[in-house]
């Protein structure tokens, strides 16, 4: 099983360069980074985990800039977002960012896609909350038109792009794409239609959820063996990882604390026992 990590990198934590080097030296498979452009000071959207919103949410580094630094000082470490709020981006700009990072890293990028929970943050980006899932799906399609081998136009309800010359291209045509979110028929249909798999936050409830996802996947005509399940932001134990292995899971992303160098490296040393 590949053991990757995620962390809220901020202006107060270990740096991307130091963390990436330490991860690769210890044999970890990857580094996934979350994003929030900003957290409106006045909001009614509740923090999904309950309680007060942790400090790091309003201090996150831009994941693509941070992952670019990580790519420059490593050779094998996988690089991913966990997650990108695609609806909050201009899709033409985002397609260029993703393709550039994937090209410069030698095809190491994974696009984690999410729909968000913070209505106020999304509204500041001009996102209508009720249409964010459809908007995300369209923006993925538009980006894939720009990544196509030949100039390809795309026109949807929310946006369009002319057939264009757009280089660089992602190394493998499209980057690996995983969609995060809570289990349910709507999410599973979107995964089956437009992704390579699921990025379940916390990794709980997989035994009950996976049959429904696999059914949706196969009904969409996808090859069963191609489905990827990557439990995300989990805290490890031997029993938990063994359970994931029994479910056929080949990669898991462990949560690191949003802390300074000494604390993060202490946790990395503990996690290295699972690598």
């Amino acid at each position: 099983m590949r053991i990757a990590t995620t962390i809220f990198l901020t202006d107060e934590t270990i740096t991307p360069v130091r963390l990436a080097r330490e991860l690769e030296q210890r044999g970890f498979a990857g580094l996934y980074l979350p994003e929030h452009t900003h957290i409106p000071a006045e909001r009614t959207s509740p923090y999904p985990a309950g309680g007060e919103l942790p400090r790091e949410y309003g201090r996150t580094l831009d994941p693509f800039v941070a992952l670019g630094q990580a790519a420059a000082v490593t050779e094998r470490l996988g690089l991913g977002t966990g997650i990108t709020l695609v609806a909050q981006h201009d899709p033409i700009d985002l397609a260029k960012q993703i393709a550039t990072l994937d090209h410069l890293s030698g095809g190491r990028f994974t696009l984690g896609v999410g729909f968000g929970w913070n209505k106020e943050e999304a509204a500041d980006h001009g996102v209508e909350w009720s249409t964010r899932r459809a908007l995300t799906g369209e923006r993925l399609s538009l980006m894939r038109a720009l990544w196509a081998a030949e100039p390809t136009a795309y026109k949807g309800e929310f946006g369009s792009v002319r057939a264009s010359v757009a280089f660089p291209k992602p190394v493998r045509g499209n980057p690996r794409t995983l969609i995060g979110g809570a289990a349910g028929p709507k999410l599973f249909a979107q995964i089956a239609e437009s992704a390579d798999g699921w990025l379940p936050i916390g990794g709980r409830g997989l035994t009950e959820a996976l049959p429904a996802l696999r059914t949706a996947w196969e009904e969409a005509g996808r090859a069963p063996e191609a489905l990827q399940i990557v439990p995300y932001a989990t805290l490890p134990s031997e029993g938990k990882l063994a359970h994931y292995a029994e479910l056929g899971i080949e990669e898991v992303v462990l949560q690191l604390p949003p802390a300074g160098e000494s604390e993060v490296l202490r946790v990395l040393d503990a996690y290295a026992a699972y690598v």
Side-chain angles (χ1 to χ4, degrees):
M1 182 177 291
R2 299 188 303 278
I3 305 296
T5 62
T6 185
I7 183 175
F8 275 86
L9 286 178
T10 77
D11 55 321
E12 299 176 326
T13 66
I14 189 171
T15 67
V17 166
R18 181 63 193 277
L19 177 58
R21 284 174 168 157
E22 296 289 342
L23 287 169
E24 185 156 274
Q25 288 172 6
R26 288 166 169 80
F28 285 90
L31 171 63
Y32 291 74
L33 298 180
E35 77 162 347
H36 283 284
T37 53
H38 66 298
I39 300 295
E42 295 184 4
R43 60 182 174 83
T44 59
S45 301
Y47 174 44
E52 290 296 316
L53 184 69
R55 173 185 177 86
E56 59 267 19
Y57 275 74
R59 308 185 74 98
T60 54
L61 302 184
D62 179 286
F64 291 98
V65 175
L67 289 171
Q69 283 201 326
V73 297
T74 57
E75 296 180 352
R76 302 176 303 280
L77 188 71
L79 309 163
T81 54
I83 46 67
T84 297
L85 294 164
V86 171
Q88 296 181 188
H89 288 264
D90 178 298
I92 299 173
D93 286 341
L94 183 58
K96 176 67 78 172
Q97 288 178 284
I98 290 169
T100 299
L101 179 55
D102 195 63
H103 168 73
L104 292 177
S105 68
R108 290 187 275 152
F109 181 68
T110 293
L111 174 62
V113 174
F115 305 108
W117 58 267
N118 192 327
K119 293 181 180 181
E120 290 79 13
E121 178 186 358
D124 285 346
H125 286 279
V127 175
E128 177 65 37
W129 191 251
S130 63
T131 63
R132 73 193 189 284
R133 288 179 180 270
L135 177 60
T136 296
E138 278 206 6
R139 289 188 169 171
L140 285 172
S141 296
L142 190 154
M143 291 193 294
R144 286 167 178 164
L146 289 168
W147 296 331
E150 299 296 330
T152 302
Y154 176 81
K155 184 172 180 59
E157 179 183 354
F158 302 102
S160 62
V161 67
R162 295 173 175 85
S164 303
V165 176
F167 286 84
K169 305 292 186 186
V171 171
R172 295 173 182 82
N174 294 324
R176 183 173 75 144
T177 300
L178 304 171
I179 296 180
K186 187 181 297 185
L187 177 73
F188 291 166
Q190 195 151 15
I191 291 171
E193 177 185 356
S194 60
D196 298 300
W198 185 24
L199 201 63
I201 308 300
R204 289 184 291 272
L206 291 181
T207 302
E208 297 76 20
L210 286 185
L213 174 56
R214 289 181 171 131
T215 296
W217 183 266
E218 294 176 28
E219 287 179 349
R222 309 289 298 273
E225 66 276 8
L227 176 61
Q228 300 179 46
I229 311 296
V230 182
Y232 187 80
T234 67
L235 298 176
S237 69
E238 289 187 7
K240 184 184 294 184
L241 297 182
H243 175 60
Y244 290 159
E246 291 171 358
L247 295 175
I249 289 168
E250 297 179 350
E251 180 181 2
V252 63
V253 182
L254 306 184
Q255 181 70 61
L256 290 170
E261 189 173 292
S262 61
E263 174 64 10
V264 170
L265 296 184
R266 183 191 68 78
V267 175
L268 272 188
D269 286 338
Y271 285 177
Y274 302 107
V275 174

